[in-house]
């Protein structure tokens, strides 16, 4: 068992930014990297919208730089993840996958969210090789300027992303598996009214096609007519929702109906448990950007520092 001042769970931009601030405030933070060290950005190719990188940087490189910056101030960065917590007392108890118990005065949760994918082998192949599958239009849409893309999903995210892509791409084909949108009326209307978005209802993705390196099209099936067709495209966007990584906190923290951690007081990083703070996508289903995650990471470390100062 180990007693510490500040435990940070997760190693995306929120976690590392919290670590930089907490370490510089002498809180001697311990950071557990989680199952996917570096977080969602490690599946992104080029990051061109994070301020301070005028020539862009790859997602994995950016995360290594953030890690190095957190280490420079002596953050104790550990490989492994937290599997269980007990937030019932004044001191917050957390257990690692190795069975090690940590007792922390403050906890910063930056466990992020995971984009959902269809799970097709061909989709995963072109996702992992950076060949044209993406779950973030705002991050990757720019690379498909003047080209034709396909997006799957029918919720608010899919509509918002389809609309975003329609401004960059010559044609956006939207694949909706049912005969209706799930999105709010206003978002669905906006998509319907955009001339270069074509909506295919009752349509399922069967296979992402490519030349082995990059995406060249998508084979789809119309479920009503049982007709297959191939839609040529260079980018395949998946917008079927995200899953916040908050399951282990559900017995203690207030979550919304989709599992995102609720802020106790908007404009702060406080949760309903004193001394437990949240940053990044675990509490954000609206913005989901590296820069907003980093901003809330900073807020969480400052809130944790003030909490400790008031306590001692
Ligand atoms: P949602 O869960 O609302 O929608 C997911 C969509 O993906 C559904 O239409 C669903 O289809 C579809 N889908 C799921 N699995 C598959 C699959 N295997 N194949 C094809 N389609 C699939 O997720 P969102 O990310 O869109 O939204 C999450 C929350 O965030 C919502 O509350 C939303 O309102 C909110 N949001 C708000 C925004 C805003 O107000 N600006 C912007 C973005 C999100 P089906 O309908 O058939 O189940």
């Amino acid at each position: 068992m180990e007693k510490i001042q500040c435990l940070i769970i997760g190693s995306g931009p929120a976690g590392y930014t919290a670590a930089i601030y907490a370490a510089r405030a002498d809180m001697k933070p311990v950071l557990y990297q989680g199952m996917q060290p570096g977080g969602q950005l490690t599946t992104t190719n080029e990051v061109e919208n994070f301020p301070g990188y005028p020539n862009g940087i790859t997602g994995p490189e950016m995360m290594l730089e953030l890690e190095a910056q957190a280490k420079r101030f002596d953050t104790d960065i550990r490989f492994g993840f937290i599997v269980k917590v007990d937030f019932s007392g004044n001191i917050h108890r957390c257990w690692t996958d190795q069975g090690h118990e940590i007792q922390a005065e403050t906890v910063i949760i930056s466990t992020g969210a995971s984009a959902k994918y269809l799970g097709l082998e061909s989709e995963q192949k072109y996702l992992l090789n950076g060949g044209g599958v993406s779950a973030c239009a705002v991050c990757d849409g720019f690379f498909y300027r003047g080209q034709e893309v396909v997006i799957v999903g029918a919720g608010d995210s899919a509509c918002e992303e389809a609309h975003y892509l329609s401004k960059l791409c010559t044609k956006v084909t939207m694949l909706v598996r049912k005969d209706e949108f799930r999105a709010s009326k206003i978002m669905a209307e906006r998509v319907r009214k955009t001339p270069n978005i074509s909506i295919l209802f009752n349509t399922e993705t069967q296979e992402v096609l490519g030349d082995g390196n990059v995406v060249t099209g998508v084979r789809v099936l119309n479920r009503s007519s049982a007709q297959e067709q191939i839609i040529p495209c260079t980018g395949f966007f998946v917008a079927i929702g995200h899953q916040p990584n908050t399951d282990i906190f559900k017995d203690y923290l207030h979550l919304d109906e989709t599992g995102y951690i609720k802020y106790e007081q908007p404009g702060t990083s406080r949760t309903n448990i004193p001394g437990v703070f949240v940053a990044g996508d675990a509490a954000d289903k609206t913005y989901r950007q590296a820069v907003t995650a980093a901003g809330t990471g900073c807020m969480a470390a400052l809130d944790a520092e003030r909490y400790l100062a008031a306590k001692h």
Side-chain angles (χ1 to χ4, degrees):
M1 198 269 287
E2 181 183 12
K3 292 189 178 195
I4 62 171
Q5 286 182 59
C6 179
L7 173 67
I8 299 170
I9 312 177
S11 60
Y16 282 136
T17 306
I20 293 164
Y21 275 79
R24 285 171 52 81
D26 209 22
M27 290 158 70
K28 302 188 171 43
V30 172
L31 180 149
Y32 273 85
Q33 288 184 308
M35 302 235 216
Q36 188 184 14
Q40 286 186 79
L41 273 180
T42 56
T43 62
T44 303
N45 261 342
E46 198 75 9
V47 180
E48 293 189 326
N49 53 7
F50 198 93
Y53 294 102
N55 301 315
I57 183 165
T58 70
E61 269 177 309
M62 189 173 118
M63 295 323 298
L64 287 175
E65 293 215 349
L66 280 173
E67 181 180 343
Q69 196 172 352
K71 272 192 183 147
R72 183 180 149 205
F73 302 109
D74 291 335
T75 303
D76 183 346
I77 296 174
R78 299 180 188 174
F79 187 68
F81 49 98
I82 302 298
V83 290
K84 193 176 112 179
V85 299
D86 177 352
F87 291 161
S88 60
N90 244 344
I91 294 294
H92 309 302
R93 302 171 70 193
C94 303
W95 287 266
T96 72
D97 56 319
Q98 300 293 317
H100 178 59
E101 180 182 344
I102 295 178
Q103 296 197 351
E105 287 186 81
T106 62
V107 176
I108 296 176
I109 297 170
S110 47
T111 46
S114 308
K116 291 183 193 162
Y117 289 94
L118 299 174
L120 298 170
E121 204 181 303
S122 53
E123 167 205 58
Q124 290 303 305
K125 175 177 162 187
Y126 290 107
L127 170 71
L128 296 175
N129 78 351
V133 171
S134 166
C136 181
V138 177
C139 320
D140 298 326
F142 189 73
F143 303 114
Y144 302 94
R145 263 174 316 160
Q147 299 172 38
E148 296 190 5
V149 296
V150 169
I151 182 165
V152 57
D156 281 333
S157 296
C159 289
E160 197 168 75
E161 302 210 345
H163 192 249
Y164 180 86
L165 290 168
S166 72
K167 293 189 217 150
L168 299 166
C169 304
T170 48
K171 185 176 175 197
V172 179
T173 304
M174 205 169 172
L175 308 179
V176 176
R177 68 177 171 182
K178 291 190 188 144
D179 60 359
E180 58 180 8
F181 280 108
R182 184 190 294 195
S184 54
K185 264 198 177 138
I186 186 163
M187 305 278 271
E189 263 321 287
R190 193 192 293 164
V191 162
R192 280 199 174 97
K193 283 185 182 155
T194 306
N196 64 337
I197 300 180
S198 140
I199 305 160
L200 302 182
F201 288 102
N202 293 311
T203 301
E204 256 175 28
T205 311
Q206 303 244 287
E207 189 183 357
V208 179
L209 306 169
D211 64 3
N213 291 316
V214 294
V215 170
T216 56
V218 183
R219 184 162 53 82
V220 302
L221 173 75
N222 182 303
R223 295 201 300 185
S224 325
S225 64
Q227 292 260 309
E228 275 192 3
Q229 66 165 305
I230 289 174
I231 307 168
C233 66
T234 47
F236 180 70
F237 288 86
V238 186
I240 61 170
H242 284 77
Q243 189 60 47
N245 303 317
T246 57
D247 210 42
I248 58 168
F249 309 113
K250 67 176 187 291
D251 292 341
Y252 299 96
L253 298 185
H254 295 160
L255 309 181
D256 75 5
E257 64 292 345
T258 43
Y260 288 88
I261 297 172
K262 284 186 178 172
Y263 287 114
E264 186 63 9
Q265 194 185 348
T268 74
S269 64
R270 278 188 241 154
T271 68
N272 57 299
I273 302 278
V276 177
F277 305 90
V278 61
D281 286 12
D284 174 16
K285 62 181 173 194
T286 310
Y287 300 105
R288 298 187 187 126
Q289 299 302 298
V291 68
T292 50
T296 52
C298 158
M299 287 165 66
L302 293 177
D303 286 343
E305 186 192 352
R306 285 171 196 156
Y307 169 86
L308 285 176
K311 201 172 151 200
H312 291 292

